[in-house]
Amino acid sequence: MQFNVINVFGLTYVVGALVEDDFPGGMYINAEKPTRSIRYTPYQNEKLIIISGDHHKTGQGESTDKHYQNLQTYAENTFKVKEFVYRWSAQDYSTLDKVPFIGYLTDSNRNILVATGFRKWGMTHSHVAALLFRDLILDKENPYETLYVPSRFVTDPSVKRVIQTNVDVAKHLVKGKLKKPTKKVDDLKNEEGAIVQVDGKRCGAYKDKNGKLFLVDSTCTHMGCEVKWNSGEKTWDCPCHGSRFAINGDVVEGPAERPLKQVQKGDL
């Protein structure tokens, strides 16, 4: 019985910095909140320090650009930063019991193997998945097969979390429909996006650096929730199931498969 479903864990943020300090190597993660992890990668004969943290559910929380600022502040308080070279975010997935799915997709279909729900521990669980896949393919016994099996039935805490997840989805679905936009298209500055009202209809509006206007239908094409503007990545993000869309409506990340409809003022 497939009960323990995948739940979108959300966005995690990363900055890459060149520093004056002599980084000793290794990978580090703190035990406190907020979580911060540090590692490095070679970059143009230097060590690029990679700092990650500040996660939240996709389409929810404060201004997304604020999370990059938090990581940059942490970096500057920890190292002598010369330059921030990169920044990006990644969307991670988690199962409701927080244990990855690794194994046969279903009990009845033993031709498809799946490995997902790593919850930001991909470098560890990818090795676990490789070893488990090897044993499954070779029909060898593996003590961890039942722990990671995707078709496992976990009554507690999964039942409670399924209810909580569905309540959260319903809340954002209703909230998005009822909340009235406070901005108009003319209020937007260049490189700014927001939900606006045009001729009585909700739209997602964005002006690029040259002032070109992009208007999209703000209703997610997956299950009808209202998307929110992600200022850090300049995307439209769905707070219900984590779909993400570009400024022109194209799908950046699923589960949505269809783009947001582009809107012209004359269409309204």
Side-chain angles (χ1 to χ4, degrees):
M1 179 178 181
Q2 186 77 25
F3 182 80
N4 191 20
V5 296
I6 279 287
N7 178 40
V8 175
F9 184 74
L11 293 175
T12 300
Y13 296 83
V14 187
V15 296
L18 295 176
V19 302
E20 296 179 9
D21 313 63
D22 183 19
F23 189 74
M27 299 169 59
Y28 307 89
I29 187 169
N30 64 341
E32 304 82 20
K33 299 294 183 182
T35 302
R36 297 285 184 264
S37 70
I38 305 174
R39 69 196 72 179
Y40 86 95
T41 188
Y43 176 81
Q44 297 182 358
N45 298 320
E46 295 189 68
K47 292 180 179 179
L48 181 70
I49 310 303
I50 299 174
I51 300 173
S52 65
D54 263 39
H55 65 263
H56 63 89
K57 192 171 181 180
T58 306
Q60 300 184 23
E62 60 184 324
S63 169
T64 46
D65 205 44
K66 177 67 175 177
H67 298 290
Y68 288 119
Q69 296 174 20
N70 292 341
L71 292 180
Q72 289 177 353
T73 298
Y74 174 82
E76 291 168 341
N77 291 337
T78 307
F79 302 101
K80 296 178 181 178
V81 176
K82 294 190 295 184
E83 179 185 6
F84 289 104
V85 182
Y86 297 108
R87 73 177 201 176
W88 69 93
S89 69
Q91 184 156 285
D92 296 287
Y93 294 88
S94 173
T95 64
L96 292 175
D97 65 1
K98 301 182 180 180
V99 178
F101 289 161
I102 304 174
Y104 296 115
L105 181 61
T106 64
D107 290 333
S108 59
N109 190 336
R110 302 179 75 81
N111 293 321
I112 301 177
L113 291 166
V114 63
T116 187
F118 290 170
R119 199 169 173 262
K120 297 195 296 184
W121 290 94
M123 296 181 73
T124 300
H125 279 113
S126 60
H127 287 74
V128 174
L131 295 172
L132 184 50
F133 279 6
R134 176 201 63 189
D135 291 345
L136 292 173
I137 292 169
L138 297 176
D139 201 22
K140 294 175 59 178
E141 184 178 347
N142 187 301
Y144 302 107
E145 180 179 355
T146 56
L147 172 65
Y148 292 107
V149 63
S151 58
R152 62 184 178 265
F153 180 90
V154 184
T155 303
D156 187 24
S158 288
V159 170
K160 180 179 179 181
R161 287 182 178 146
V162 164
I163 295 172
Q164 290 174 336
T165 299
N166 288 334
V167 168
D168 182 67
V169 169
K171 179 185 74 174
H172 284 279
L173 175 61
V174 174
K175 181 180 178 181
K177 300 295 184 185
L178 296 179
K179 187 176 181 180
K180 292 185 178 181
T182 58
K183 283 198 172 187
K184 299 179 180 179
V185 170
D186 293 340
D187 297 331
L188 294 180
K189 301 174 182 177
N190 288 1
E191 298 190 279
E192 182 182 8
I195 298 296
V196 299
Q197 193 162 13
V198 180
D199 296 338
K201 181 178 174 59
R202 290 174 56 92
C203 296
Y206 172 75
K207 284 184 179 179
D208 68 12
K209 62 181 180 181
N210 298 316
K212 181 180 178 180
L213 178 65
F214 294 82
L215 283 175
V216 294
D217 190 323
S218 61
T219 301
C220 179
T221 56
H222 176 230
M223 291 188 69
C225 291
E226 294 296 311
V227 297
K228 292 181 63 178
W229 177 244
N230 179 333
S231 59
E233 300 298 319
K234 292 184 170 55
T235 56
W236 296 105
D237 297 353
C238 176
C240 293
H241 301 102
S243 297
R244 302 177 68 195
F245 304 87
I247 57 173
N248 65 351
D250 287 350
V251 176
V252 174
E253 195 155 8
E257 297 181 349
R258 293 178 291 114
L260 298 177
K261 180 183 177 181
Q262 294 187 21
V263 176
Q264 304 295 328
K265 279 192 174 184
D267 297 337
L268 300 173

